Amino acid sequence: MGAAAEVDPAYLLDPEHRPKPATAVVHGLPVIDLAEALASPTPSDLSKTISEIRDACRDWGFFQVVNHGVDAAVRERFEATARLFFALPLEEKRKVLRDEVNPLGYYDVEHTKNVRDWMEVFDYSPTGSLEIPASDDPLDEALLKKINQWPENPPEFKEACEEYVRQTEKLAVKLVELISLSLGLGADRLKGFFENETSFMRPALS
């Protein structure tokens, strides 16, 4: 066998930040079937689903969903085109490099705890653009609009990403409604908190 490959020190965490080997066995993780919630137009028909979400949020803080309405073929196409993009030569990917001016696009020098992450990412906005503060002055109300950068290759990457985010965003809206109902609030009570938000999607290779 040959000598072990040298790892760039830029990728090495300090010992105190490295994962500690441990084994945890957990049973009963909450899995919630959304088939009924997606099919029913009225909250009165969803008492079982709402109760399950309430229990999961209270006892676990998270849950897994099944029958969530995101088409498997859409997800698979999204993943496949993302793999094609990340397999491109570096100079091709860096044609859509994000920077201090535009935070959307390709990036490969993320850092965590001042250590370079062993990953590449591509950030894009579900709405096609982001509006971000023009400065760090809390009194400055000016906004800057940043537009998604899309690579020429693979040609189907943009469409695959946009269709996937349409379906996952629809799911996210439904989940917020159900969580709101589980709190005894109206289905639309939390909707206003998600208007003009600045979230983004991030396919990544690690």
Side-chain angles (χ1 to χ4, degrees):
M1 296 178 63
E6 289 290 329
V7 176
D8 187 332
Y11 293 105
L12 298 179
L13 282 169
D14 291 333
E16 63 267 26
H17 297 310
R18 295 175 188 172
K20 306 297 188 294
T23 300
V25 178
V26 180
H27 300 285
L29 294 177
V31 178
I32 297 175
D33 190 333
L34 292 184
E36 187 178 69
L38 295 177
S40 175
T42 58
S44 60
D45 299 331
L46 304 177
S47 57
K48 179 176 180 292
T49 303
I50 292 170
S51 177
E52 289 175 345
I53 288 177
R54 181 188 305 113
D55 293 346
C57 290
R58 181 193 62 220
D59 299 338
W60 291 86
F62 65 91
F63 52 87
Q64 178 183 353
V65 293
V66 295
N67 295 319
H68 43 61
V70 177
D71 192 298
V74 169
R75 176 182 56 78
E76 290 165 2
R77 185 182 181 216
F78 168 72
E79 293 174 351
T81 55
R83 283 193 291 269
L84 289 174
F85 170 74
F86 288 120
L88 292 172
L90 184 59
E91 61 270 20
E92 184 72 15
K93 291 180 286 191
R94 287 196 163 186
K95 290 179 180 178
V96 289
L97 186 69
R98 83 179 202 208
D99 54 29
E100 64 275 5
V101 176
N102 190 348
L104 300 171
Y106 172 77
Y107 202 59
D108 62 347
V109 285
E110 289 274 336
H111 285 72
T112 301
K113 299 184 185 298
N114 296 318
V115 175
R116 185 173 175 179
D117 295 337
W118 203 313
M119 66 186 301
E120 301 173 38
V121 302
F122 181 85
D123 296 335
Y124 69 98
S125 167
T127 62
S129 63
L130 286 179
E131 288 190 343
I132 60 176
S135 73
D136 57 6
D137 182 350
L139 299 179
D140 185 357
E141 298 183 357
L143 296 174
L144 297 176
K145 188 173 185 178
K146 303 302 179 181
I147 307 297
N148 283 338
Q149 301 187 83
W150 293 107
E152 293 182 2
N153 293 300
E156 65 272 26
F157 186 47
K158 177 177 183 289
E159 182 182 343
C161 288
E162 290 178 337
E163 178 57 28
Y164 181 69
V165 81
R166 275 193 291 270
Q167 294 201 14
T168 53
E169 189 171 37
K170 184 178 179 181
L171 170 61
V173 169
K174 174 57 69 174
L175 288 172
V176 170
E177 291 177 355
L178 292 170
I179 290 171
S180 185
L181 290 169
S182 78
L183 294 170
L185 305 172
D188 293 333
R189 179 62 180 83
L190 302 177
K191 184 177 180 180
F193 294 101
F194 295 90
E195 294 176 353
N196 302 318
E197 43 80 24
T198 57
S199 62
F200 56 86
M201 292 289 287
R202 170 174 282 187
L205 174 70
S206 60

